[in-house]
Amino acid sequence: MRIAISTGGGDAPGLNAVIRAGVLAALQRGWDVLGIKRGFAGLLGEDEVIPLTRDSVRGIAHMGGTILRTTNRGSPFNYPVAQADGSIKYVDRSDELIANAKALGIDAIISIGGDGSLKIAQQLVNKGMKVVCVPKTIDNDVPCTINTFGFDTAVSTVVEALDKLHTTAESHDRVMLIEVMGRDAGFIALYAGVAGTADIVLIPEIPFSVDKVCEAVVARERSGRRFSIVVVAEGAAPVGGSTSIIGESLPGQAKRVGGVVEPLARIIQERTGKETRSLILGHLQRGGQPTGYDRLLSTRFGGAAVRAIEEEKWGHMVALQSPHIVFVPIPEVLSSEKRVDPDGDIVTTAREMGISFGD
Ligand code: F6P
């Protein structure tokens, strides 16, 4: 038996721990393991396919990033090919990929990635390839699994930033806005905002009113708390408005959301008269060592992916449905959506703590 592992989409802390676990569980069964570099580029002659041995995964569980590297422009069904005139043409190279995998004697693939990778995996399964998936995103918005690895690490990074912002905000009596990742989901902002004792949390699932945000700042001032910490999910939008786009992406990439925090800071300063500052935490949230929780989840997912192959669960994704790890058919995952429940326990708890959602 020879399996191959690929990491696709944006990186997330814990990817290396999944790779390590997959390799160890496969080696223990006497299987061979290959690593496909940079998404599926390695299987298209655009990068390497490397052997993954006991030595290649030694001492990597605590490392951020991915030893296999990654890309979010590498769908074999829509592969960017540079043309002589500098333009990019998208071509279907899936047959080439399947032929190359066959030539290398690859029996099955573990694809570690987010929704884009899940779609690619399903398309490959439809063409007869044996693929199982491991969900990955710091945003925690993959349906059918309680958590994805990388989320806990990202939340910890934001909480650490909030601790630091608190001391400077309090010293200067300032309003401090911090924009955090999450795309269309507010999990990072909500979890970190509650854990890091923010005063205002703005998430895409609860459209905010600028008036209400300003009222919350002024109310704190009146109660003697002269600073405020505002956590803003990059996808947050005002009532009747839409998520702001930070800029154009490269062709073939998803739009980059965010940038809401800067205009919002200006408006808060104008309307409340409070000195206001903002920052975008950005890719710091994707880097660094995975937390213990994420390393454990990654290791469980890596081991389970090998079990999924053993049980021939082609087209399934491993998922945490506590306390169990289960295998969910990819179409089931892709047909649903996971967002913060505005009536759920964490939002309710936040409101009980006096946190305003600007609504
Ligand atoms: O999906 C993970 C994520 O980090 C989002 O939270 C964020 O909007 C996006 O990726 C950033 O992508 P990129 O690394 O392409 O800028």
Side-chain angles (χ1 to χ4, degrees):
M1 184 76 175
R2 169 172 285 178
I3 68 166
I5 303 179
S6 143
T7 54
D11 65 344
L15 277 169
N16 282 323
V18 181
I19 296 169
R20 172 182 176 274
V23 169
L24 294 188
L27 292 179
Q28 204 175 83
R29 287 164 167 82
W31 302 356
D32 255 6
V33 192
L34 299 177
I36 306 165
K37 296 286 274 299
R38 215 153 43 82
F40 286 111
L43 273 183
L44 294 170
E46 308 275 347
D47 211 315
E48 295 171 291
V49 176
I50 56 167
L52 288 177
T53 63
R54 179 68 190 86
D55 276 346
S56 15
V57 297
R58 218 178 276 288
I60 64 166
H62 64 284
M63 286 165 40
T66 160
I67 59 165
L68 294 176
R69 304 178 59 220
T70 188
T71 175
N72 48 13
R73 301 178 71 208
S75 168
F77 294 89
N78 201 26
Y79 204 84
V81 179
Q83 305 297 294
D85 65 358
S87 64
I88 305 267
K89 194 174 157 199
Y90 289 88
V91 291
D92 182 352
R93 296 183 65 184
S94 56
D95 287 336
E96 200 182 327
L97 180 144
I98 292 168
N100 289 343
K102 205 168 168 192
L104 287 167
I106 295 171
D107 298 302
I109 291 178
I110 297 176
S111 170
I112 314 170
D115 51 355
S117 301
L118 285 163
K119 282 178 198 143
I120 296 167
Q122 185 58 45
Q123 286 174 293
L124 289 172
V125 168
N126 292 346
K127 292 190 93 168
M129 281 202 85
K130 297 174 173 174
V131 187
V132 300
C133 290
V134 173
K136 165 248 49 161
T137 170
I138 65 162
D139 302 340
N140 205 33
D141 61 349
V142 176
C144 308
T145 183
I146 290 173
N147 275 332
T148 45
F149 63 85
F151 172 64
D152 186 63
T153 307
V155 168
S156 301
T157 299
V158 177
V159 169
E160 192 185 337
L162 290 177
D163 290 347
K164 291 181 175 170
L165 284 179
H166 262 100
T167 55
T168 174
E170 186 159 17
S171 304
H172 285 267
D173 294 340
R174 279 174 173 162
V175 180
M176 215 37 112
L177 278 72
I178 176 172
E179 182 174 303
V180 302
M181 283 185 166
R183 288 200 76 83
D184 305 317
F187 292 104
I188 296 177
L190 175 65
Y191 282 51
V194 175
T197 68
D199 306 301
I200 300 167
V201 174
L202 306 180
I203 57 175
E205 295 84 350
I206 304 178
F208 65 87
S209 135
V210 180
D211 289 343
K212 296 277 182 196
V213 172
C214 294
E215 272 171 32
V217 169
V218 171
R220 269 180 65 77
E221 182 85 6
R222 289 208 185 103
S223 73
R225 307 297 287 151
R226 304 195 59 204
F227 73 98
S228 289
I229 302 288
V230 189
V231 179
V232 186
E234 62 184 5
V239 180
S242 51
T243 296
S244 89
I245 304 295
I246 209 164
E248 282 307 307
S249 301
L250 290 170
Q253 289 180 328
K255 280 215 163 19
R256 296 183 58 208
V257 302
V260 57
V261 83
E262 281 157 14
L264 186 58
R266 274 198 300 276
I267 298 173
I268 292 174
Q269 177 161 305
E270 273 163 29
R271 293 204 192 165
T272 65
K274 292 286 302 172
E275 201 178 9
T276 304
R277 296 283 189 273
S278 67
L279 84 152
I280 298 178
L281 198 55
H283 289 79
L284 283 175
Q285 294 159 93
R286 291 240 298 264
Q289 297 195 326
T291 58
Y293 178 90
D294 277 339
R295 288 184 219 184
L296 175 63
L297 184 59
S298 298
T299 303
R300 293 180 75 190
F301 277 177
V306 170
R307 260 174 271 140
I309 290 177
E310 198 166 51
E311 294 176 27
E312 304 195 346
K313 295 281 186 191
W314 316 128
H316 283 65
M317 179 190 90
V318 304
L320 175 68
Q321 294 182 4
S322 289
H324 306 290
I325 299 283
V326 297
F327 306 138
V328 185
I330 295 173
E332 202 177 302
V333 181
L334 292 178
S335 62
S336 39
E337 196 178 72
K338 183 177 164 196
R339 296 285 180 268
V340 169
D341 176 2
D343 301 315
D345 175 68
I346 302 185
V347 172
T348 303
T349 305
R351 292 194 195 276
E352 285 169 353
M353 298 302 112
I355 293 176
S356 162
F357 287 88
D359 60 340

